Amino acid sequence: MNVKIQEGHSDIEVVIKCPEATETIRKIEALLYGLEKRLACTKDGITCFIDRRDVLYFESVDKRCYLYTADDVYEVPLKLYEVEELFAEVDFIRSSKSQILNMAKIESLCPDFGGRIETIMSNGEKLIVSRQYAKILKERLGLR
């Protein structure tokens, strides 16, 4: 694989030349698109654009999807499974039936009762990763 960076252009263009668009190539493409994703969401009737890097987690409550940052909560006009598809390749992981965590915002992990994992997020908030998703989280974080 060759990687070339050419400076001095007015816009950024990434071209992947390959014999076949494999799953790995598709993941690289998704990662590149996901790096600059911002989500349109609402708070008190006002539309806001939140950078995905500021998101601690998403949660589904009463058939509505919410985005949590260190300071605020916003409603997202997507279903939780749509959020999962949108950010699957870039640091976000399902942590329970109703929650998706930003792995980049996890400060620490602690084993919990019944095979669950307690995570402490960058703002100090404690969230539980269900037993069903605990193994996947450990694998994605390079543990075990």
Side-chain angles (χ1 to χ4, degrees), residues 39-50 66-67 72-77:
L39 279 177
C41 46
T42 57
K43 181 179 170 107
D44 300 328
I46 298 170
T47 300
C48 306
F49 293 93
I50 305 296
Y66 297 94
L67 172 159
D72 249 323
V73 179
Y74 303 88
E75 186 171 351
V76 180

Side-chain angles (χ1 to χ4, degrees), residues 58-60 64-65 76-88 94 96-100:
F58 294 92
E59 187 172 40
S60 179
R64 293 181 186 265
C65 186
V76 180
L78 299 170
K79 302 287 185 200
L80 201 60
Y81 76 89
E82 293 172 320
V83 170
E84 184 176 28
E85 289 172 2
L86 193 61
F87 295 115
R94 178 76 73 149
S96 70
K97 183 178 173 183
S98 62
Q99 211 169 60
I100 295 172

Side-chain angles (χ1 to χ4, degrees), residues 49-65:
F49 293 93
I50 305 296
D51 189 306
R52 69 153 181 90
R53 292 171 289 203
D54 296 329
V55 177
L56 293 173
Y57 64 98
F58 294 92
E59 187 172 40
S60 179
V61 179
D62 296 331
K63 297 186 181 182
R64 293 181 186 265
C65 186

Side-chain angles (χ1 to χ4, degrees), residues 108-125:
S108 64
L109 303 174
C110 182
D112 198 31
F113 179 74
R116 301 181 314 172
I117 297 173
E118 180 182 81
T119 63
I120 298 178
M121 305 304 285
S122 60
N123 68 341
E125 189 170 353

Side-chain angles (χ1 to χ4, degrees), residues 115-138:
R116 301 181 314 172
I117 297 173
E118 180 182 81
T119 63
I120 298 178
M121 305 304 285
S122 60
N123 68 341
E125 189 170 353
K126 294 179 182 180
L127 301 174
I128 298 294
V129 177
S130 72
R131 183 181 57 171
Q132 179 181 357
Y133 298 101
K135 182 179 178 185
I136 298 166
L137 175 67
K138 286 179 183 178

Side-chain angles (χ1 to χ4, degrees), residues 88-102:
E89 301 300 327
V90 287
D91 285 344
F92 286 83
I93 187 168
R94 178 76 73 149
S95 59
S96 70
K97 183 178 173 183
S98 62
Q99 211 169 60
I100 295 172
L101 295 181
N102 183 349

Side-chain angles (χ1 to χ4, degrees), residues 23-35:
E23 183 180 339
T24 301
I25 298 297
R26 294 287 178 214
K27 286 182 179 181
I28 291 169
E29 177 187 34
L31 180 63
L32 289 169
Y33 277 119
L35 289 175

